[in-house]
mmCIF file of all heavy atoms in Angstrom:
data_model
loop_
_atom_site.group_PDB
_atom_site.id
_atom_site.type_symbol
_atom_site.label_atom_id
_atom_site.label_comp_id
_atom_site.label_asym_id
_atom_site.label_seq_id
_atom_site.Cartn_x
_atom_site.Cartn_y
_atom_site.Cartn_z
ATOM 1 N N VAL A 1 0.833 -1.223 0.008
ATOM 2 C CA VAL A 1 0.018 0.036 0.017
ATOM 3 C C VAL A 1 0.880 1.277 -0.008
ATOM 4 O O VAL A 1 0.581 2.244 -0.718
ATOM 5 C CB VAL A 1 -0.956 0.024 1.194
ATOM 6 C CG1 VAL A 1 -1.641 1.357 1.403
ATOM 7 C CG2 VAL A 1 -2.001 -1.104 0.980
ATOM 8 N N ALA A 2 1.965 1.250 0.778
ATOM 9 C CA ALA A 2 2.864 2.397 0.817
ATOM 10 C C ALA A 2 3.504 2.625 -0.559
ATOM 11 O O ALA A 2 3.627 3.763 -1.011
ATOM 12 C CB ALA A 2 3.920 2.215 1.916
ATOM 13 N N GLY A 3 3.902 1.525 -1.195
ATOM 14 C CA GLY A 3 4.498 1.636 -2.527
ATOM 15 C C GLY A 3 3.513 2.240 -3.530
ATOM 16 O O GLY A 3 3.834 3.048 -4.357
ATOM 17 N N TYR A 4 2.272 1.753 -3.426
ATOM 18 C CA TYR A 4 1.199 2.286 -4.306
ATOM 19 C C TYR A 4 0.973 3.754 -4.031
ATOM 20 O O TYR A 4 0.784 4.561 -4.978
ATOM 21 C CB TYR A 4 -0.074 1.520 -4.136
ATOM 22 C CG TYR A 4 -1.203 2.002 -4.985
ATOM 23 C CD1 TYR A 4 -1.150 1.810 -6.359
ATOM 24 C CD2 TYR A 4 -2.301 2.635 -4.445
ATOM 25 C CE1 TYR A 4 -2.185 2.296 -7.196
ATOM 26 C CE2 TYR A 4 -3.326 3.135 -5.219
ATOM 27 C CZ TYR A 4 -3.270 2.909 -6.587
ATOM 28 O OH TYR A 4 -4.293 3.410 -7.397
ATOM 29 N N ALA A 5 0.977 4.157 -2.756
ATOM 30 C CA ALA A 5 0.795 5.585 -2.407
ATOM 31 C C ALA A 5 1.903 6.416 -2.997
ATOM 32 O O ALA A 5 1.637 7.551 -3.490
ATOM 33 C CB ALA A 5 0.732 5.692 -0.897
ATOM 34 N N VAL A 6 3.106 5.981 -2.961
ATOM 35 C CA VAL A 6 4.235 6.713 -3.551
ATOM 36 C C VAL A 6 4.032 6.842 -5.046
ATOM 37 O O VAL A 6 4.236 7.919 -5.623
ATOM 38 C CB VAL A 6 5.613 6.071 -3.188
ATOM 39 C CG1 VAL A 6 6.702 6.701 -3.976
ATOM 40 C CG2 VAL A 6 5.856 6.195 -1.697
ATOM 41 N N TYR A 7 3.673 5.748 -5.686
ATOM 42 C CA TYR A 7 3.366 5.765 -7.113
ATOM 43 C C TYR A 7 2.285 6.793 -7.398
ATOM 44 O O TYR A 7 2.457 7.634 -8.354
ATOM 45 C CB TYR A 7 2.904 4.366 -7.587
ATOM 46 C CG TYR A 7 2.249 4.396 -8.920
ATOM 47 C CD1 TYR A 7 3.055 4.488 -10.093
ATOM 48 C CD2 TYR A 7 0.886 4.312 -9.040
ATOM 49 C CE1 TYR A 7 2.403 4.516 -11.343
ATOM 50 C CE2 TYR A 7 0.280 4.335 -10.250
ATOM 51 C CZ TYR A 7 1.035 4.440 -11.421
ATOM 52 O OH TYR A 7 0.404 4.443 -12.655
ATOM 53 N N ARG A 8 1.188 6.794 -6.644
ATOM 54 C CA ARG A 8 0.092 7.766 -6.871
ATOM 55 C C ARG A 8 0.558 9.199 -6.643
ATOM 56 O O ARG A 8 0.112 10.108 -7.306
ATOM 57 C CB ARG A 8 -1.075 7.400 -5.968
ATOM 58 C CG ARG A 8 -1.767 6.133 -6.288
ATOM 59 C CD ARG A 8 -2.676 6.257 -7.461
ATOM 60 N NE ARG A 8 -3.686 7.226 -7.183
ATOM 61 C CZ ARG A 8 -4.723 7.485 -7.904
ATOM 62 N NH1 ARG A 8 -4.929 6.774 -8.963
ATOM 63 N NH2 ARG A 8 -5.613 8.371 -7.571
ATOM 64 N N MET A 9 1.428 9.339 -5.643
ATOM 65 C CA MET A 9 1.928 10.693 -5.340
ATOM 66 C C MET A 9 2.631 11.319 -6.567
ATOM 67 O O MET A 9 2.434 12.487 -6.850
ATOM 68 C CB MET A 9 2.878 10.632 -4.182
ATOM 69 C CG MET A 9 3.473 12.024 -3.765
ATOM 70 S SD MET A 9 4.643 11.916 -2.449
ATOM 71 C CE MET A 9 6.087 11.353 -3.310
ATOM 72 N N PHE A 10 3.412 10.478 -7.247
ATOM 73 C CA PHE A 10 4.146 10.999 -8.420
ATOM 74 C C PHE A 10 3.281 11.021 -9.693
ATOM 75 O O PHE A 10 3.623 11.753 -10.611
ATOM 76 C CB PHE A 10 5.377 10.151 -8.670
ATOM 77 C CG PHE A 10 6.451 10.409 -7.663
ATOM 78 C CD1 PHE A 10 6.795 9.428 -6.751
ATOM 79 C CD2 PHE A 10 7.150 11.604 -7.659
ATOM 80 C CE1 PHE A 10 7.799 9.653 -5.822
ATOM 81 C CE2 PHE A 10 8.112 11.855 -6.714
ATOM 82 C CZ PHE A 10 8.447 10.869 -5.806
ATOM 83 N N THR A 11 2.181 10.335 -9.746
ATOM 84 C CA THR A 11 1.358 10.354 -10.935
ATOM 85 C C THR A 11 0.175 11.267 -10.857
ATOM 86 O O THR A 11 -0.301 11.771 -11.846
ATOM 87 C CB THR A 11 0.870 8.917 -11.296
ATOM 88 O OG1 THR A 11 0.146 8.415 -10.180
ATOM 89 C CG2 THR A 11 2.039 8.007 -11.629
ATOM 90 N N THR A 12 -0.388 11.453 -9.627
ATOM 91 C CA THR A 12 -1.560 12.338 -9.520
ATOM 92 C C THR A 12 -1.433 13.435 -8.534
ATOM 93 O O THR A 12 -2.349 14.234 -8.383
ATOM 94 C CB THR A 12 -2.803 11.496 -9.077
ATOM 95 O OG1 THR A 12 -2.515 10.914 -7.806
ATOM 96 C CG2 THR A 12 -3.111 10.369 -10.065
ATOM 97 N N GLY A 13 -0.307 13.584 -7.893
ATOM 98 C CA GLY A 13 -0.100 14.603 -6.898
ATOM 99 C C GLY A 13 -0.457 14.200 -5.494
ATOM 100 O O GLY A 13 -0.852 13.044 -5.263
ATOM 101 N N TYR A 14 -0.337 15.095 -4.582
ATOM 102 C CA TYR A 14 -0.569 14.815 -3.162
ATOM 103 C C TYR A 14 -1.062 16.061 -2.451
ATOM 104 O O TYR A 14 -0.868 17.139 -2.961
ATOM 105 C CB TYR A 14 0.683 14.223 -2.510
ATOM 106 C CG TYR A 14 1.883 15.123 -2.671
ATOM 107 C CD1 TYR A 14 2.138 16.150 -1.796
ATOM 108 C CD2 TYR A 14 2.732 14.924 -3.765
ATOM 109 C CE1 TYR A 14 3.239 16.953 -1.954
ATOM 110 C CE2 TYR A 14 3.819 15.739 -3.937
ATOM 111 C CZ TYR A 14 4.087 16.762 -3.017
ATOM 112 O OH TYR A 14 5.162 17.600 -3.159
ATOM 113 N N SER A 15 -1.604 15.871 -1.310
ATOM 114 C CA SER A 15 -2.127 17.007 -0.499
ATOM 115 C C SER A 15 -1.280 17.180 0.744
ATOM 116 O O SER A 15 -0.591 16.326 1.230
ATOM 117 C CB SER A 15 -3.553 16.759 -0.088
ATOM 118 O OG SER A 15 -3.616 15.720 0.856
ATOM 119 N N THR A 16 -1.378 18.401 1.234
ATOM 120 C CA THR A 16 -0.694 18.719 2.514
ATOM 121 C C THR A 16 -1.246 17.860 3.624
ATOM 122 O O THR A 16 -0.501 17.428 4.522
ATOM 123 C CB THR A 16 -0.849 20.231 2.819
ATOM 124 O OG1 THR A 16 -0.394 20.988 1.713
ATOM 125 C CG2 THR A 16 -0.080 20.618 4.051
ATOM 126 N N ALA A 17 -2.540 17.660 3.619
ATOM 127 C CA ALA A 17 -3.182 16.814 4.648
ATOM 128 C C ALA A 17 -2.614 15.370 4.612
ATOM 129 O O ALA A 17 -2.396 14.793 5.690
ATOM 130 C CB ALA A 17 -4.717 16.788 4.499
ATOM 131 N N ALA A 18 -2.383 14.871 3.418
ATOM 132 C CA ALA A 18 -1.832 13.515 3.304
ATOM 133 C C ALA A 18 -0.434 13.434 3.931
ATOM 134 O O ALA A 18 -0.076 12.502 4.638
ATOM 135 C CB ALA A 18 -1.801 13.046 1.873
ATOM 136 N N TRP A 19 0.402 14.480 3.633
ATOM 137 C CA TRP A 19 1.718 14.496 4.216
ATOM 138 C C TRP A 19 1.685 14.670 5.721
ATOM 139 O O TRP A 19 2.443 13.979 6.459
ATOM 140 C CB TRP A 19 2.557 15.664 3.600
ATOM 141 C CG TRP A 19 3.189 15.285 2.316
ATOM 142 C CD1 TRP A 19 2.846 15.679 1.064
ATOM 143 C CD2 TRP A 19 4.284 14.423 2.145
ATOM 144 N NE1 TRP A 19 3.658 15.105 0.164
ATOM 145 C CE2 TRP A 19 4.579 14.318 0.773
ATOM 146 C CE3 TRP A 19 5.069 13.655 3.038
ATOM 147 C CZ2 TRP A 19 5.608 13.521 0.260
ATOM 148 C CZ3 TRP A 19 6.118 12.864 2.525
ATOM 149 C CH2 TRP A 19 6.348 12.823 1.147
ATOM 150 N N ALA A 20 0.788 15.511 6.247
ATOM 151 C CA ALA A 20 0.602 15.718 7.634
ATOM 152 C C ALA A 20 0.223 14.384 8.335
ATOM 153 O O ALA A 20 0.759 14.041 9.378
ATOM 154 C CB ALA A 20 -0.390 16.792 7.973
ATOM 155 N N LEU A 21 -0.712 13.657 7.733
ATOM 156 C CA LEU A 21 -1.124 12.372 8.262
ATOM 157 C C LEU A 21 -0.009 11.346 8.305
ATOM 158 O O LEU A 21 0.163 10.627 9.255
ATOM 159 C CB LEU A 21 -2.361 11.849 7.504
ATOM 160 C CG LEU A 21 -2.935 10.527 8.046
ATOM 161 C CD1 LEU A 21 -3.459 10.698 9.452
ATOM 162 C CD2 LEU A 21 -4.074 10.085 7.135
ATOM 163 N N LEU A 22 0.749 11.325 7.190
ATOM 164 C CA LEU A 22 1.902 10.416 7.123
ATOM 165 C C LEU A 22 2.879 10.715 8.221
ATOM 166 O O LEU A 22 3.350 9.749 8.914
ATOM 167 C CB LEU A 22 2.595 10.590 5.735
ATOM 168 C CG LEU A 22 3.932 9.854 5.587
ATOM 169 C CD1 LEU A 22 3.638 8.388 5.354
ATOM 170 C CD2 LEU A 22 4.696 10.461 4.426
ATOM 171 N N ILE A 23 3.228 11.956 8.404
ATOM 172 C CA ILE A 23 4.240 12.350 9.440
ATOM 173 C C ILE A 23 3.656 12.016 10.835
ATOM 174 O O ILE A 23 4.392 11.483 11.698
ATOM 175 C CB ILE A 23 4.607 13.812 9.296
ATOM 176 C CG1 ILE A 23 5.419 14.003 7.980
ATOM 177 C CG2 ILE A 23 5.385 14.318 10.493
ATOM 178 C CD1 ILE A 23 5.585 15.434 7.563
ATOM 179 N N LEU A 24 2.402 12.371 11.088
ATOM 180 C CA LEU A 24 1.811 12.061 12.374
ATOM 181 C C LEU A 24 1.815 10.564 12.674
ATOM 182 O O LEU A 24 2.158 10.159 13.809
ATOM 183 C CB LEU A 24 0.358 12.638 12.425
ATOM 184 C CG LEU A 24 -0.393 12.290 13.712
ATOM 185 C CD1 LEU A 24 0.249 13.011 14.914
ATOM 186 C CD2 LEU A 24 -1.872 12.699 13.553
ATOM 187 N N MET A 25 1.365 9.757 11.738
ATOM 188 C CA MET A 25 1.354 8.304 11.945
ATOM 189 C C MET A 25 2.739 7.747 12.189
ATOM 190 O O MET A 25 2.939 6.872 13.012
ATOM 191 C CB MET A 25 0.691 7.597 10.760
ATOM 192 C CG MET A 25 -0.805 7.793 10.673
ATOM 193 S SD MET A 25 -1.676 7.267 12.155
ATOM 194 C CE MET A 25 -1.354 5.542 12.155
ATOM 195 N N HIS A 26 3.719 8.278 11.479
ATOM 196 C CA HIS A 26 5.106 7.814 11.684
ATOM 197 C C HIS A 26 5.569 8.166 13.103
ATOM 198 O O HIS A 26 6.149 7.302 13.772
ATOM 199 C CB HIS A 26 6.052 8.464 10.688
ATOM 200 C CG HIS A 26 7.487 8.093 10.899
ATOM 201 N ND1 HIS A 26 8.006 6.847 10.673
ATOM 202 C CD2 HIS A 26 8.495 8.849 11.369
ATOM 203 C CE1 HIS A 26 9.274 6.850 10.999
ATOM 204 N NE2 HIS A 26 9.576 8.029 11.413
#
């Protein structure tokens, strides 16, 4: 799932909320 998320990030973009959630969960 993480690999797919990275793929999607480079193909469709990403949001600030997604990055914030990623950092918080880490």
